[in-house]
């Protein structure tokens, strides 16, 4: 059952890459429904759900899912996943409530990651909202230096 659930979630990821967000969302939810609510895969699939809902322009639904998750978790992988989902949603909404310190923490993490391109781009957007053009240019330059591209 667990293996089948993970296969559904992986199929959802493949559908998302193909641009089939609606189908991906259905597969993701079906797969997650077979997992324990306490599993890492269950929680990480919620962040994927936020991204898919944003792609489908269902921003209020995405906000509801994100808020149901609470504060970013202490574990590094899930914390970064939370940050990415939150910033992606905020970008789609056209505003954020993060202060400079919160953006700085996220940008530092993105700079430390070889695959930090998406986080750096979203942090650059966040700094643009704060009017910090120097940080925007720096972070976008760093994002361009990253070879890995994983679309949100």
């Amino acid at each position: 059952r667990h293996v089948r659930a993970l296969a559904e979630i992986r199929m959802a990821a493949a559908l998302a890459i193909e641009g089939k967000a609606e189908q991906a969302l259905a597969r993701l939810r079906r797969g997650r429904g077979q997992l324990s609510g306490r599993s890492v895969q269950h929680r990480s699939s919620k962040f994927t759900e936020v991204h898919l809902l944003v792609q489908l322009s269902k921003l209020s639904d995405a906000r509801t899912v994100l808020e149901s998750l609470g504060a970013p978790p202490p574990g590094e992988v899930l914390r970064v996943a939370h940050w990415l989902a939150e910033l992606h949603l905020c970008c789609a909404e056209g505003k954020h409530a993060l202060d400079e310190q919160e953006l700085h923490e996220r940008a530092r993490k993105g700079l430390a990651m070889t695959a930090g391109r998406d986080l750096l781009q979203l942090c650059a957007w966040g700094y643009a909202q704060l009017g910090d053009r120097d940080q925007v240019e720096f972070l976008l330059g760093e994002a361009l230096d990253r070879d890995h591209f994983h679309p949100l």
Side-chain angles (χ1 to χ4, degrees), residues 76 79-88 98 102-113 115-127 139-140 143 146 150 152:
E76 186 172 328
R79 185 175 70 243
V80 170
H82 189 282
W83 289 346
L84 283 165
E86 180 181 30
L87 282 166
H88 187 199
L98 301 171
E102 290 171 304
L103 277 174
H104 180 74
E105 179 184 5
R106 294 162 193 221
R108 282 182 53 119
K109 186 61 182 169
L111 290 167
M113 296 168 51
R117 184 177 187 159
D118 292 339
L119 186 55
L120 292 171
Q121 289 173 331
L122 288 166
C123 286
W125 170 83
Y127 275 107
L139 293 174
L140 287 178
R146 303 306 197 262
H150 304 284
L152 293 174

Side-chain angles (χ1 to χ4, degrees), residues 1-20 23-35 40-42 44-45 48-49 52:
R1 179 177 153 161
H2 184 77
V3 172
R4 185 179 305 258
L6 295 179
E8 285 285 342
I9 291 171
R10 287 202 172 92
M11 285 300 300
L15 287 166
I17 289 169
E18 293 175 358
K20 299 174 182 175
Q23 293 173 10
L25 184 59
R27 294 284 294 256
L28 179 78
R29 288 175 172 165
R30 186 168 51 239
R32 185 178 55 232
Q34 299 172 35
L35 295 172
V40 171
Q41 294 90 353
H42 186 279
S44 68
S45 75
T48 303
E49 182 174 2
L52 290 169

Side-chain angles (χ1 to χ4, degrees), residues 28-106:
L28 179 78
R29 288 175 172 165
R30 186 168 51 239
R32 185 178 55 232
Q34 299 172 35
L35 295 172
S36 162
R38 295 188 315 213
S39 74
V40 171
Q41 294 90 353
H42 186 279
R43 185 163 176 103
S44 68
S45 75
K46 291 281 193 167
F47 299 120
T48 303
E49 182 174 2
V50 171
H51 292 297
L52 290 169
L53 289 167
V54 168
Q55 288 176 4
L56 293 167
S57 299
K58 296 180 179 184
L59 304 185
S60 64
D61 292 344
R63 176 64 58 193
T64 299
V65 172
L66 185 65
E67 288 176 355
S68 75
L69 293 168
E76 186 172 328
V77 171
L78 290 178
R79 185 175 70 243
V80 170
H82 189 282
W83 289 346
L84 283 165
E86 180 181 30
L87 282 166
H88 187 199
L89 175 57
C90 288
C91 185
E93 292 172 331
K95 64 186 184 309
H96 71 80
L98 301 171
D99 62 28
E100 197 279 331
Q101 180 60 35
E102 290 171 304
L103 277 174
H104 180 74
E105 179 184 5
R106 294 162 193 221

